[in-house]
Amino acid sequence: MTTTLITGANKGLGYETARQLVEAGHTVYVGARDSERGRRAAERLGARFVQLDVTDDASVRAAAKTVEDDGGLDVLINNAGIEGRGEGNTVIGAEEVTADDMRTTFDTNVFGVVRVTHAFLPLLRRSAAPVVVNVSSGLASLTALSDPDHPAHFYPGIAYPASKTAVNMLTVQYAKAFPELRVNSVEPGFTRTDLNGNTGHQSVAEGAAIIVRMARIGPDGPTGGYFDVDGPLAW
């Protein structure tokens, strides 16, 4: 039985990923900052709950101890993420963005990935087929954002794409450092979630498809890559 932990899994893409993986036979831990919401989500899914705030070292360490005591971990999905928005769900652009905006976004989206990966790495390295999936974004692609013919070129924000580009770098470096792991970044697509004020054009089921696919790869699968449902993406 494959044991999987998903951060930020009480709603949105994390919840749908958990649902699909439970259906596929995984033992799934729903990691959530809010204990009440997390427990409710886990009960609905037939999953396990673990309190996990990716911005809090003590919370992450406690979660790792809980999972270790329960038997270990095979798959880590770093899904928890935020995108700061302004009044009226507006994207915070280059003129308005502050260092505090950047710090807040990076604490969850980048430092959170490092906190969680660092804490759970010893468990993953004991697995026969360890996998890490980092939920990135198409907005992480320097190639796409610098191409005036690509839709992503017109996204005006700085904090969110910068954080996801950093996540892609973490993916590359972790994959090189730990060749026994399969470590990949995924782009779910523009999905209707609270993160973007539910303005996305695809469902969470569609968005979760690539996360689930990469969570289920075997020891001979790709590592150090960046993928959407159609295949590899340009960095």
Side-chain angles (χ1 to χ4, degrees):
M1 178 83 68
T2 300
T3 300
T4 300
L5 168 69
I6 308 169
T7 65
N10 63 286
K11 63 179 182 178
L13 281 170
Y15 182 91
E16 177 61 21
T17 299
R19 187 192 70 77
Q20 292 187 29
L21 287 174
V22 167
E23 193 174 79
H26 286 218
T27 297
V28 174
Y29 284 90
V30 168
R33 181 175 52 187
D34 186 295
S35 295
E36 184 177 347
R37 291 177 182 174
R39 285 196 180 91
R40 284 203 305 264
E43 288 171 4
R44 288 194 300 268
L45 291 164
R48 301 178 182 182
F49 166 70
V50 63
Q51 197 281 331
L52 199 163
D53 179 349
V54 302
T55 67
D56 184 89
D57 289 324
S59 170
V60 173
R61 285 195 301 267
K65 182 65 166 58
T66 295
V67 174
E68 181 179 26
D69 290 347
D70 284 349
L73 188 68
D74 302 298
V75 179
L76 170 62
I77 301 176
N78 287 308
N79 167 73
I82 61 171
E83 179 197 13
R85 292 274 178 137
E87 189 175 344
N89 197 41
T90 55
V91 174
I92 299 171
E95 187 173 353
E96 297 84 19
V97 70
T98 66
D100 284 341
D101 293 330
M102 298 292 290
R103 187 177 297 110
T104 298
T105 302
F106 268 63
D107 197 18
T108 294
N109 295 3
V110 182
F111 307 149
V113 171
V114 175
R115 282 189 190 95
V116 174
T117 303
H118 178 76
F120 284 90
L121 187 60
L123 304 187
L124 290 166
R125 297 185 81 179
R126 295 173 202 162
S127 169
V131 171
V132 177
V133 180
N134 293 325
V135 179
S136 183
S137 168
L139 295 173
S141 171
L142 298 177
T143 300
L145 267 69
S146 59
D147 178 0
D149 293 324
H150 195 287
H153 176 76
F154 300 97
Y155 178 85
I158 290 182
Y160 183 75
S163 73
K164 292 301 187 177
T165 301
V167 167
N168 283 358
M169 180 59 78
L170 293 177
T171 293
V172 169
Q173 296 299 82
Y174 279 133
K176 289 192 296 183
F178 306 109
E180 71 273 26
L181 275 64
R182 304 294 89 186
V183 185
N184 292 290
S185 286
V186 297
E187 141 68 330
F190 192 30
T191 304
R192 288 188 297 276
T193 66
D194 289 349
L195 182 139
N196 56 44
N198 292 294
T199 57
H201 57 69
Q202 64 179 18
S203 69
V204 288
E206 292 170 310
I210 185 59
I211 308 174
V212 171
R213 183 192 304 172
M214 299 309 290
R216 300 183 69 190
I217 61 172
D220 59 345
T223 192
Y226 175 35
F227 301 90
D228 68 5
V229 290
D230 296 319
L233 294 173
W235 299 107

